Amino acid sequence: MTVITIPQEKFAVRTASKNLPVRMRRLRANEAMRSMVRETHIHLEKLIYPFFVVEGKNVKTPISSMPGIYQQSIDQMLKEVEEAANLGLSSVILFGIPNIKDSVATGAWVDDGIIQKATLAIKKEFPDMLVIADTCLCEYMDHGHCGIVDGNEILNDPSLDILAKTAVSQAAAGADIIAPSDMMDGRIGVIRQALDQAGFDNVAIMAYSAKFASAFYGPFRQAAESAPQFGDRKTYQMDPANGRQALCEIALDIEEGADIVMVKPAISYLDIIKETRHLTNLPIAAYNVSGEYSMVKAAAANGWIDEKKVTLECLTGIARSGADLIITYHAKDVAKWLK
Ligand code: PBG
């Protein structure tokens, strides 16, 4: 057995310095021992469960690429919110799919928009359920981009006014947290100011700060009917190759007033979560996105992996890398497993 020398400050220094073998397996001898020294835990109050809400009544349409996830009308959504609450989950994030899409994202900011109605309904029936409103325009735009379009260009500053208007109307409907996912420059500052001016200074902002132009969003775009009708999102979402740039984005959002910063997707970006942990003491959210979910579900359905173990390992990895909160489609399954 090798005797290794471990730097002074490390925990095993006593054994190593006495020339005794280092036996890391002592602390793995049995489950009680392993639980005692376990460093990372999944807590249900840290998991955020997503909903895709549509107009109508009695609608519950399965998303084929996301088993267990549905587009649903508000009446159906309320039943699932109740189920989630009974399972011990305490927060949801809402994505709206309007009946009509246009070039100014009207459905995103009108008082009777789908997110506004869904938020009001949840807050009325389940006042303790924390409601996070995804603030973006792509689901409401006929071209599927996250901002105002001129020709082939996605315009930054004209999009900010609409985002701010959307955030204020979501707050007015009772949202606890506004979550801008558009990646326009300067939107956190503009939204913060608009919320404060409208008297919503207690409404928090969870900024999708480091949001990468990821192929892992594929199934979500089916669920939210939000795929861009031309081009892609690379002029606003980040290049997956850029870690340092992600830290710039996060620093800017903090400066502009974000209360929580987010890294998205999660599993291919654990290094960014870890570096963000060193950058700020604010809470960090990670989005365990649709494609990450679909891969686990597909492999599990084929009997290739153990769904429960793989899912818990994925979420543990995200938490261990430094995420405080995790948005995940697995939340209800996890709640059932941990019960
Ligand atoms: C909207 C938005 C997207 C996701 C969350 N908000 C898709 C996109 O940017 O195209 C993806 C979430 C997921 O994949 O689960 N801008």
Side-chain angles (χ1 to χ4, degrees):
M1 180 175 290
T2 29
V3 176
I4 52 166
T5 328
I6 292 179
Q8 278 301 315
E9 71 275 11
K10 301 297 181 200
F11 70 99
V13 68
R14 262 184 309 121
T15 37
S17 64
K18 288 184 191 149
N19 229 21
L20 295 168
V22 175
R23 290 189 184 274
M24 294 301 289
R25 290 182 54 194
R26 282 182 192 125
L27 300 183
R28 293 172 205 147
N30 54 54
E31 185 46 34
M33 186 73 91
R34 290 190 293 273
S35 313
M36 192 173 71
V37 299
R38 188 159 295 135
E39 298 171 22
T40 310
H41 297 89
I42 305 293
H43 296 292
L44 292 188
E45 64 267 37
K46 308 282 190 184
L47 303 184
I48 300 163
Y49 190 57
F51 281 90
F52 297 100
V53 195
V54 294
E55 296 282 359
K57 246 191 159 14
N58 272 320
V59 185
K60 190 154 181 171
T61 315
I63 312 301
S64 58
S65 56
M66 301 177 73
I69 304 296
Y70 301 83
Q71 283 184 345
Q72 45 193 331
S73 48
I74 290 172
D75 55 313
Q76 297 299 307
M77 172 203 72
L78 287 173
K79 288 185 196 169
E80 210 188 340
V81 170
E82 180 168 26
E83 188 195 349
N86 289 337
L87 283 167
L89 296 171
S90 49
S91 63
V92 298
I93 182 162
L94 305 182
F95 298 94
I97 302 137
N99 273 349
I100 298 167
K101 299 175 192 266
D102 59 23
S103 61
V104 289
T106 306
W109 45 266
V110 285
D111 288 344
D112 63 346
I114 184 69
I115 290 254
Q116 288 76 2
K117 286 189 291 189
T119 302
L120 272 168
I122 296 178
K123 279 294 170 189
K124 183 164 170 235
E125 286 207 31
F126 308 100
D128 295 335
M129 182 59 74
L130 205 123
V131 174
I132 304 171
D134 182 82
T135 307
C136 198
L137 308 179
C138 55
E139 297 101 323
Y140 308 91
M141 291 288 205
D142 47 19
H143 46 64
H145 276 289
C146 305
I148 293 278
V149 159
D150 181 17
N152 281 334
E153 209 185 323
I154 311 347
L155 303 178
N156 196 87
D157 295 8
S159 305
L160 298 180
D161 297 337
I162 304 190
L163 286 163
K165 204 153 70 163
T166 302
V168 169
S169 75
Q170 292 170 335
D176 300 284
I177 300 180
I178 299 301
S181 67
D182 53 285
M183 287 298 278
M184 297 299 124
D185 284 326
R187 86 264 206 232
I188 301 303
V190 168
I191 288 174
R192 183 70 273 162
Q193 206 180 358
L195 287 172
D196 291 353
Q197 271 167 9
F200 299 115
D201 43 322
N202 283 327
V203 172
I205 297 178
M206 178 166 81
Y208 286 71
S209 303
K211 178 172 177 180
F212 291 87
S214 170
F216 285 99
Y217 306 154
F220 173 97
R221 291 181 191 168
Q222 182 201 346
E225 298 176 13
S226 66
Q229 299 302 303
F230 66 89
D232 52 42
R233 303 211 201 284
K234 289 181 188 168
T235 68
Y236 41 109
Q237 299 180 352
M238 292 185 46
D239 183 337
N242 292 349
R244 294 194 304 272
Q245 201 179 80
L247 299 182
C248 294
E249 285 281 6
I250 288 163
L252 276 170
D253 282 359
I254 293 171
E255 181 119 348
E256 289 176 32
D259 300 284
I260 301 170
V261 290
M262 196 199 300
V263 176
K264 174 186 176 196
I267 295 175
S268 299
Y269 300 85
L270 297 179
D271 58 321
I272 314 289
I273 298 175
K274 181 104 193 175
E275 292 199 50
T276 304
R277 186 67 293 159
H278 296 309
L279 182 79
T280 179
N281 288 320
L282 289 179
I284 299 170
Y287 200 140
N288 177 214
V289 299
S290 57
E292 297 173 331
Y293 174 82
S294 301
M295 290 196 303
V296 171
K297 285 285 180 184
N302 275 296
W304 296 337
I305 57 168
D306 180 319
E307 180 177 349
K308 176 178 168 184
K309 286 183 182 158
V310 167
T311 300
L312 292 174
E313 188 173 332
C314 288
L315 296 178
T316 300
I318 296 168
R320 191 195 59 240
S321 70
D324 301 291
L325 323 172
I326 306 176
I327 304 176
T328 179
Y329 305 96
H330 296 288
K332 257 175 51 190
D333 288 337
V334 172
K336 285 176 198 160
W337 294 329
L338 298 186
K339 245 195 162 137

